CSV table of all heavy atoms in Angstrom, one decimal:
chain,number,residue,atom,x,y,z
B,12,ALA,N,102.5,128.6,211.5
B,12,ALA,CA,101.2,129.3,211.6
B,12,ALA,C,100.4,129.1,210.3
B,12,ALA,O,99.2,128.8,210.4
B,12,ALA,CB,101.4,130.8,211.8
B,13,GLN,N,101.0,129.1,209.2
B,13,GLN,CA,100.3,128.9,207.9
B,13,GLN,C,99.9,127.5,207.8
B,13,GLN,O,98.8,127.1,207.3
B,13,GLN,CB,101.2,129.3,206.7
B,13,GLN,CG,101.4,130.8,206.7
B,13,GLN,CD,102.3,131.2,205.5
B,13,GLN,OE1,101.9,131.7,204.5
B,13,GLN,NE2,103.6,130.9,205.7
B,14,HIS,N,100.7,126.6,208.3
B,14,HIS,CA,100.4,125.1,208.3
B,14,HIS,C,99.2,124.9,209.1
B,14,HIS,O,98.2,124.2,208.7
B,14,HIS,CB,101.6,124.4,208.9
B,14,HIS,CG,101.5,122.9,208.7
B,14,HIS,ND1,100.4,122.2,209.2
B,14,HIS,CD2,102.4,122.0,208.2
B,14,HIS,CE1,100.6,120.9,208.9
B,14,HIS,NE2,101.8,120.7,208.3
B,15,ARG,N,99.2,125.5,210.3
B,15,ARG,CA,98.0,125.3,211.2
B,15,ARG,C,96.7,125.9,210.6
B,15,ARG,O,95.7,125.3,210.7
B,15,ARG,CB,98.3,125.9,212.6
B,15,ARG,CG,97.2,125.7,213.5
B,15,ARG,CD,97.6,125.9,214.9
B,15,ARG,NE,96.4,126.2,215.7
B,15,ARG,CZ,96.4,126.6,217.0
B,15,ARG,NH1,97.5,126.9,217.6
B,15,ARG,NH2,95.3,126.8,217.6
B,16,ALA,N,96.9,127.1,210.0
B,16,ALA,CA,95.7,127.7,209.4
B,16,ALA,C,95.1,126.9,208.3
B,16,ALA,O,93.9,126.7,208.2
B,16,ALA,CB,96.0,129.1,208.9
B,17,LEU,N,96.0,126.4,207.5
B,17,LEU,CA,95.5,125.5,206.3
B,17,LEU,C,94.9,124.2,206.9
B,17,LEU,O,93.9,123.8,206.3
B,17,LEU,CB,96.7,125.1,205.4
B,17,LEU,CG,97.3,126.2,204.5
B,17,LEU,CD1,98.7,125.8,204.0
B,17,LEU,CD2,96.3,126.4,203.3
B,18,SER,N,95.4,123.7,208.0
B,18,SER,CA,94.8,122.5,208.5
B,18,SER,C,93.5,122.7,209.2
B,18,SER,O,92.7,121.7,209.2
B,18,SER,CB,95.8,121.7,209.4
B,18,SER,OG,95.9,122.4,210.6
B,19,THR,N,93.3,123.8,209.8
B,19,THR,CA,92.1,124.0,210.6
B,19,THR,C,91.0,124.8,209.8
B,19,THR,O,89.8,124.7,210.2
B,19,THR,CB,92.4,124.8,211.9
B,19,THR,OG1,93.0,126.0,211.5
B,19,THR,CG2,93.3,124.0,212.8
B,20,ASP,N,91.3,125.5,208.8
B,20,ASP,CA,90.3,126.3,208.1
B,20,ASP,C,90.3,126.1,206.6
B,20,ASP,O,91.3,126.5,205.9
B,20,ASP,CB,90.5,127.8,208.4
B,20,ASP,CG,89.4,128.7,207.9
B,20,ASP,OD1,88.6,128.2,207.0
B,20,ASP,OD2,89.4,129.9,208.2
B,21,PRO,N,89.3,125.4,206.1
B,21,PRO,CA,89.4,125.1,204.6
B,21,PRO,C,89.2,126.3,203.7
B,21,PRO,O,89.5,126.2,202.5
B,21,PRO,CB,88.1,124.2,204.4
B,21,PRO,CG,87.3,124.4,205.6
B,21,PRO,CD,88.2,124.8,206.7
B,22,SER,N,88.9,127.5,204.3
B,22,SER,CA,88.8,128.7,203.5
B,22,SER,C,90.2,129.4,203.3
B,22,SER,O,90.3,130.3,202.5
B,22,SER,CB,87.8,129.6,204.0
B,22,SER,OG,88.2,130.1,205.3
B,23,VAL,N,91.2,128.9,204.0
B,23,VAL,CA,92.5,129.5,203.8
B,23,VAL,C,93.2,128.9,202.6
B,23,VAL,O,93.2,127.7,202.4
B,23,VAL,CB,93.4,129.2,205.1
B,23,VAL,CG1,94.8,129.6,204.9
B,23,VAL,CG2,92.7,129.9,206.3
B,24,PHE,N,93.8,129.8,201.8
B,24,PHE,CA,94.8,129.4,200.8
B,24,PHE,C,95.9,130.4,200.7
B,24,PHE,O,95.8,131.5,201.2
B,24,PHE,CB,94.0,129.2,199.4
B,24,PHE,CG,93.6,130.5,198.7
B,24,PHE,CD1,94.4,131.0,197.7
B,24,PHE,CD2,92.5,131.1,199.1
B,24,PHE,CE1,94.0,132.1,197.0
B,24,PHE,CE2,92.0,132.3,198.4
B,24,PHE,CZ,92.8,132.8,197.4
B,25,ILE,N,97.0,130.0,200.1
B,25,ILE,CA,98.2,130.9,200.0
B,25,ILE,C,98.4,131.2,198.5
B,25,ILE,O,98.4,130.2,197.6
B,25,ILE,CB,99.4,130.2,200.6
B,25,ILE,CG1,99.1,129.9,202.1
B,25,ILE,CG2,100.7,131.0,200.4
B,25,ILE,CD1,100.3,129.2,202.8
B,26,TYR,N,98.7,132.4,198.2
B,26,TYR,CA,98.9,132.8,196.8
B,26,TYR,C,100.1,133.8,196.8
B,26,TYR,O,100.2,134.7,197.6
B,26,TYR,CB,97.6,133.5,196.3
B,26,TYR,CG,97.5,133.7,194.8
B,26,TYR,CD1,97.8,132.7,194.0
B,26,TYR,CD2,97.1,134.9,194.3
B,26,TYR,CE1,97.7,132.8,192.6
B,26,TYR,CE2,97.0,135.1,192.9
B,26,TYR,CZ,97.3,134.0,192.1
B,26,TYR,OH,97.2,134.2,190.7
B,27,GLY,N,101.0,133.6,195.8
B,27,GLY,CA,102.1,134.4,195.7
B,27,GLY,C,103.1,133.9,194.8
B,27,GLY,O,103.0,132.8,194.2
B,28,GLN,N,104.2,134.6,194.5
B,28,GLN,CA,105.2,134.2,193.6
B,28,GLN,C,106.1,133.1,194.2
B,28,GLN,O,106.6,133.3,195.3
B,28,GLN,CB,106.0,135.4,193.1
B,28,GLN,CG,105.2,136.4,192.3
B,28,GLN,CD,105.7,137.8,192.4
B,28,GLN,OE1,106.9,138.0,192.8
B,28,GLN,NE2,104.9,138.8,192.1
B,29,ASP,N,106.3,132.0,193.5
B,29,ASP,CA,107.2,130.9,193.9
B,29,ASP,C,106.8,130.3,195.2
B,29,ASP,O,107.7,129.7,195.9
B,29,ASP,CB,108.6,131.5,194.0
B,29,ASP,CG,109.1,132.2,192.7
B,29,ASP,OD1,109.1,131.5,191.6
B,29,ASP,OD2,109.4,133.4,192.7
B,30,VAL,N,105.6,130.4,195.6
B,30,VAL,CA,105.2,129.9,197.0
B,30,VAL,C,104.9,128.4,197.0
B,30,VAL,O,104.9,127.7,198.0
B,30,VAL,CB,104.0,130.6,197.6
B,30,VAL,CG1,104.4,132.1,197.8
B,30,VAL,CG2,102.8,130.5,196.7
B,31,ALA,N,104.6,127.8,195.8
B,31,ALA,CA,104.1,126.4,195.7
B,31,ALA,C,105.3,125.4,195.9
B,31,ALA,O,105.9,125.3,197.0
B,31,ALA,CB,103.3,126.2,194.5
B,32,VAL,N,105.7,124.7,194.9
B,32,VAL,CA,106.7,123.7,195.0
B,32,VAL,C,108.0,124.2,195.5
B,32,VAL,O,108.7,123.6,196.4
B,32,VAL,CB,106.9,123.0,193.7
B,32,VAL,CG1,108.0,121.9,193.7
B,32,VAL,CG2,105.6,122.3,193.2
B,33,PHE,N,108.4,125.4,195.1
B,33,PHE,CA,109.6,126.0,195.5
B,33,PHE,C,109.6,126.4,197.0
B,33,PHE,O,110.6,126.5,197.6
B,33,PHE,CB,109.9,127.3,194.6
B,33,PHE,CG,111.2,127.9,194.8
B,33,PHE,CD1,112.4,127.2,194.5
B,33,PHE,CD2,111.3,129.2,195.3
B,33,PHE,CE1,113.6,127.8,194.7
B,33,PHE,CE2,112.6,129.8,195.5
B,33,PHE,CZ,113.7,129.1,195.2
B,34,GLY,N,108.4,126.7,197.5
B,34,GLY,CA,108.3,127.0,198.9
B,34,GLY,C,108.6,128.4,199.3
B,34,GLY,O,108.7,128.8,200.5
B,35,GLY,N,108.6,129.3,198.3
B,35,GLY,CA,108.8,130.7,198.6
B,35,GLY,C,110.3,131.1,198.6
B,35,GLY,O,111.1,130.3,198.8
B,36,ALA,N,110.5,132.4,198.3
B,36,ALA,CA,111.9,132.9,198.2
B,36,ALA,C,112.6,132.7,199.5
B,36,ALA,O,113.8,132.5,199.5
B,36,ALA,CB,111.9,134.4,197.9
B,37,PHE,N,111.9,132.7,200.7
B,37,PHE,CA,112.6,132.5,202.0
B,37,PHE,C,112.2,131.2,202.6
B,37,PHE,O,112.5,130.9,203.7
B,37,PHE,CB,112.2,133.7,202.9
B,37,PHE,CG,112.7,135.0,202.4
B,37,PHE,CD1,111.8,135.8,201.7
B,37,PHE,CD2,114.0,135.4,202.6
B,37,PHE,CE1,112.3,137.1,201.3
B,37,PHE,CE2,114.5,136.6,202.2
B,37,PHE,CZ,113.6,137.4,201.5
B,38,LYS,N,111.4,130.4,201.8
B,38,LYS,CA,111.0,129.0,202.3
B,38,LYS,C,109.9,129.1,203.4
B,38,LYS,O,109.8,128.2,204.2
B,38,LYS,CB,112.2,128.2,202.8
B,38,LYS,CG,113.2,128.0,201.7
B,38,LYS,CD,112.7,127.2,200.5
B,38,LYS,CE,113.7,127.2,199.4
B,38,LYS,NZ,113.0,127.0,198.1
B,39,ALA,N,109.2,130.2,203.4
B,39,ALA,CA,108.1,130.3,204.5
B,39,ALA,C,107.0,129.4,204.2
B,39,ALA,O,106.1,129.3,205.0
B,39,ALA,CB,107.7,131.8,204.5
B,40,THR,N,106.9,128.9,202.9
B,40,THR,CA,105.8,128.0,202.6
B,40,THR,C,106.3,126.6,202.2
B,40,THR,O,105.6,125.9,201.5
B,40,THR,CB,104.9,128.6,201.5
B,40,THR,OG1,105.7,128.8,200.3
B,40,THR,CG2,104.2,129.9,201.9
B,41,LYS,N,107.5,126.3,202.7
B,41,LYS,CA,108.1,125.0,202.3
B,41,LYS,C,107.2,123.8,202.7
B,41,LYS,O,106.7,123.7,203.8
B,41,LYS,CB,109.4,124.9,203.1
B,41,LYS,CG,110.3,123.8,202.8
B,41,LYS,CD,111.6,123.8,203.6
B,41,LYS,CE,112.4,122.5,203.5
B,41,LYS,NZ,113.5,122.5,204.5
B,42,ASN,N,107.1,123.0,201.7
B,42,ASN,CA,106.3,121.7,201.8
B,42,ASN,C,104.8,121.9,201.9
B,42,ASN,O,104.0,121.0,201.9
B,42,ASN,CB,106.7,120.9,203.0
B,42,ASN,CG,108.1,120.4,202.8
B,42,ASN,OD1,108.6,120.2,201.7
B,42,ASN,ND2,108.8,120.1,203.9
B,43,LEU,N,104.3,123.2,202.0
B,43,LEU,CA,102.9,123.4,202.3
B,43,LEU,C,102.1,123.0,201.0
B,43,LEU,O,101.0,122.5,201.2
B,43,LEU,CB,102.6,124.8,202.7
B,43,LEU,CG,103.1,125.2,204.0
B,43,LEU,CD1,102.8,126.7,204.3
B,43,LEU,CD2,102.6,124.3,205.1
B,44,SER,N,102.6,123.2,199.8
B,44,SER,CA,101.9,122.9,198.6
B,44,SER,C,101.7,121.3,198.5
B,44,SER,O,100.7,120.8,198.0
B,44,SER,CB,102.5,123.4,197.4
B,44,SER,OG,103.6,122.7,197.0
B,45,ARG,N,102.7,120.6,199.0
B,45,ARG,CA,102.6,119.2,199.0
B,45,ARG,C,101.6,118.7,200.0
B,45,ARG,O,100.8,117.7,199.8
B,45,ARG,CB,104.0,118.6,199.3
B,45,ARG,CG,104.2,117.2,198.7
B,45,ARG,CD,105.6,116.6,199.0
B,45,ARG,NE,105.8,116.5,200.5
B,45,ARG,CZ,106.9,116.7,201.1
B,45,ARG,NH1,108.0,117.0,200.4
B,45,ARG,NH2,107.0,116.6,202.4
B,46,GLU,N,101.6,119.3,201.2
B,46,GLU,CA,100.7,118.9,202.2
B,46,GLU,C,99.2,119.3,202.0
B,46,GLU,O,98.3,118.7,202.4
B,46,GLU,CB,101.1,119.4,203.6
B,46,GLU,CG,102.4,118.7,204.1
B,46,GLU,CD,103.0,119.4,205.3
B,46,GLU,OE1,102.4,119.3,206.4
B,46,GLU,OE2,104.1,120.0,205.2
B,47,TYR,N,99.1,120.4,201.2
B,47,TYR,CA,97.8,121.0,200.9
B,47,TYR,C,97.6,121.2,199.4
B,47,TYR,O,97.6,122.4,199.0
B,47,TYR,CB,97.5,122.2,201.8
B,47,TYR,CG,97.6,122.0,203.2
B,47,TYR,CD1,98.8,122.3,203.9
B,47,TYR,CD2,96.6,121.4,203.9
B,47,TYR,CE1,99.0,122.0,205.3
B,47,TYR,CE2,96.7,121.1,205.3
B,47,TYR,CZ,97.9,121.4,206.0
B,47,TYR,OH,98.0,121.2,207.3
B,48,PRO,N,97.5,120.1,198.7
B,48,PRO,CA,97.5,120.3,197.2
B,48,PRO,C,96.4,121.2,196.7
B,48,PRO,O,95.2,121.1,197.3
B,48,PRO,CB,97.3,118.9,196.7
B,48,PRO,CG,97.5,118.0,197.9
B,48,PRO,CD,97.3,118.7,199.1
B,49,GLY,N,96.7,122.1,195.8
B,49,GLY,CA,95.7,123.0,195.3
B,49,GLY,C,95.4,124.2,196.1
B,49,GLY,O,94.6,125.0,195.7
B,50,ARG,N,96.0,124.3,197.3
B,50,ARG,CA,95.7,125.4,198.2
B,50,ARG,C,96.9,126.4,198.4
B,50,ARG,O,96.8,127.3,199.1
B,50,ARG,CB,95.2,124.9,199.5
B,50,ARG,CG,93.8,124.2,199.4
B,50,ARG,CD,93.4,123.6,200.6
B,50,ARG,NE,93.2,124.5,201.7
B,50,ARG,CZ,93.1,124.2,203.0
B,50,ARG,NH1,93.2,123.0,203.4
B,50,ARG,NH2,92.9,125.2,203.9
B,51,VAL,N,98.0,126.0,197.7
B,51,VAL,CA,99.2,126.9,197.8
B,51,VAL,C,99.6,127.1,196.3
B,51,VAL,O,100.1,126.2,195.7
B,51,VAL,CB,100.3,126.3,198.6
B,51,VAL,CG1,101.5,127.3,198.7
B,51,VAL,CG2,99.9,125.9,200.0
B,52,LEU,N,99.3,128.3,195.8
B,52,LEU,CA,99.3,128.5,194.3
B,52,LEU,C,100.4,129.5,193.9
B,52,LEU,O,100.5,130.6,194.5
B,52,LEU,CB,98.0,129.0,193.8
B,52,LEU,CG,96.8,128.1,194.1
B,52,LEU,CD1,95.5,128.7,193.6
B,52,LEU,CD2,97.0,126.7,193.4
B,53,ASP,N,101.2,129.2,192.9
B,53,ASP,CA,102.1,130.1,192.3
B,53,ASP,C,101.3,131.2,191.5
B,53,ASP,O,100.4,130.8,190.8
B,53,ASP,CB,103.1,129.4,191.4
B,53,ASP,CG,104.2,128.7,192.1
B,53,ASP,OD1,104.5,129.1,193.2
B,53,ASP,OD2,104.8,127.8,191.5
B,54,ALA,N,101.7,132.4,191.6
B,54,ALA,CA,101.1,133.5,190.9
B,54,ALA,C,102.1,134.0,189.9
B,54,ALA,O,103.3,134.0,190.0
B,54,ALA,CB,100.7,134.6,191.8
B,55,PRO,N,101.5,134.6,188.8
B,55,PRO,CA,102.4,135.3,187.9
B,55,PRO,C,103.0,136.6,188.6
B,55,PRO,O,102.5,137.0,189.6
B,55,PRO,CB,101.5,135.7,186.7
B,55,PRO,CG,100.1,135.5,187.2
B,55,PRO,CD,100.2,134.6,188.3
B,56,ILE,N,104.0,137.2,188.0
B,56,ILE,CA,104.6,138.4,188.6
B,56,ILE,C,103.7,139.6,188.3
B,56,ILE,O,103.9,140.4,187.5
B,56,ILE,CB,106.0,138.6,188.1
B,56,ILE,CG1,106.9,137.3,188.3
B,56,ILE,CG2,106.7,139.8,188.8
B,56,ILE,CD1,108.3,137.4,187.9
B,57,SER,N,102.6,139.6,189.1
B,57,SER,CA,101.6,140.6,188.9
B,57,SER,C,101.0,141.0,190.3
B,57,SER,O,99.9,140.5,190.7
B,57,SER,CB,100.5,140.0,188.1
B,57,SER,OG,100.9,139.5,186.8
B,58,GLU,N,101.8,141.8,191.0
B,58,GLU,CA,101.4,142.1,192.3
B,58,GLU,C,100.0,142.7,192.4
B,58,GLU,O,99.2,142.4,193.4
B,58,GLU,CB,102.4,143.1,193.0
B,58,GLU,CG,103.7,142.4,193.4
B,58,GLU,CD,104.7,142.2,192.3
B,58,GLU,OE1,104.4,142.5,191.2
B,58,GLU,OE2,105.8,141.6,192.6
B,59,ASP,N,99.6,143.6,191.5
B,59,ASP,CA,98.3,144.2,191.5
B,59,ASP,C,97.2,143.1,191.4
B,59,ASP,O,96.3,143.1,192.2
B,59,ASP,CB,98.2,145.2,190.4
B,59,ASP,CG,96.9,145.9,190.3
B,59,ASP,OD1,95.9,145.3,189.9
B,59,ASP,OD2,96.8,147.1,190.6
B,60,ALA,N,97.4,142.2,190.4
B,60,ALA,CA,96.4,141.2,190.2
B,60,ALA,C,96.4,140.2,191.3
B,60,ALA,O,95.3,139.6,191.7
B,60,ALA,CB,96.6,140.5,188.8
B,61,ILE,N,97.5,139.9,191.9
B,61,ILE,CA,97.6,139.0,193.1
B,61,ILE,C,96.7,139.5,194.2
B,61,ILE,O,95.9,138.8,194.8
B,61,ILE,CB,99.0,138.8,193.5
B,61,ILE,CG1,99.8,138.0,192.5
B,61,ILE,CG2,99.1,138.2,194.9
B,61,ILE,CD1,101.3,138.0,192.8
B,62,LEU,N,96.8,140.8,194.5
B,62,LEU,CA,96.0,141.4,195.5
B,62,LEU,C,94.5,141.4,195.1
B,62,LEU,O,93.6,141.2,195.9
B,62,LEU,CB,96.5,142.8,195.9
B,62,LEU,CG,97.2,142.9,197.2
B,62,LEU,CD1,96.2,142.6,198.4
B,62,LEU,CD2,98.3,141.9,197.3
B,63,GLY,N,94.3,141.7,193.8
B,63,GLY,CA,92.9,141.7,193.3
B,63,GLY,C,92.3,140.3,193.5
B,63,GLY,O,91.1,140.2,193.9
B,64,VAL,N,93.0,139.3,193.2
B,64,VAL,CA,92.5,137.9,193.4
B,64,VAL,C,92.2,137.7,194.9
B,64,VAL,O,91.2,137.1,195.2
B,64,VAL,CB,93.6,136.9,192.9
B,64,VAL,CG1,93.3,135.5,193.5
B,64,VAL,CG2,93.5,136.9,191.3
B,65,ALA,N,93.1,138.1,195.7
B,65,ALA,CA,92.9,137.9,197.2
B,65,ALA,C,91.6,138.6,197.6
B,65,ALA,O,90.8,138.0,198.4
B,65,ALA,CB,94.1,138.4,198.0
B,66,ILE,N,91.4,139.8,197.1
B,66,ILE,CA,90.3,140.6,197.5
B,66,ILE,C,89.0,139.9,197.0
B,66,ILE,O,88.0,139.7,197.8
B,66,ILE,CB,90.4,142.0,197.0
B,66,ILE,CG1,91.5,142.8,197.7
B,66,ILE,CG2,89.0,142.7,197.1
B,66,ILE,CD1,92.0,144.0,197.0
B,67,GLY,N,89.0,139.5,195.7
B,67,GLY,CA,87.8,138.8,195.2
B,67,GLY,C,87.5,137.5,195.9
B,67,GLY,O,86.3,137.3,196.3
B,68,ALA,N,88.5,136.8,196.2
B,68,ALA,CA,88.3,135.5,197.0
B,68,ALA,C,87.8,135.8,198.4
B,68,ALA,O,86.9,135.1,198.9
B,68,ALA,CB,89.6,134.7,197.0
Side-chain angles (χ1 to χ4, degrees):
Chain B
Q13 294 179 101
H14 189 306
R15 180 163 161 192
L17 284 163
S18 73
T19 55
D20 186 347
S22 64
V23 171
F24 73 100
I25 299 177
Y26 195 46
Q28 294 153 19
D29 306 300
V30 297
V32 175
F33 187 65
F37 297 98
K38 303 297 174 204
T40 56
K41 187 179 167 186
N42 293 336
L43 293 181
S44 75
R45 203 180 62 214
E46 290 172 68
Y47 302 96
R50 294 173 64 194
V51 183
L52 302 176
D53 280 336
I56 303 180
S57 301
E58 283 80 1
D59 181 286
I61 288 169
L62 253 295
V64 161
I66 292 160

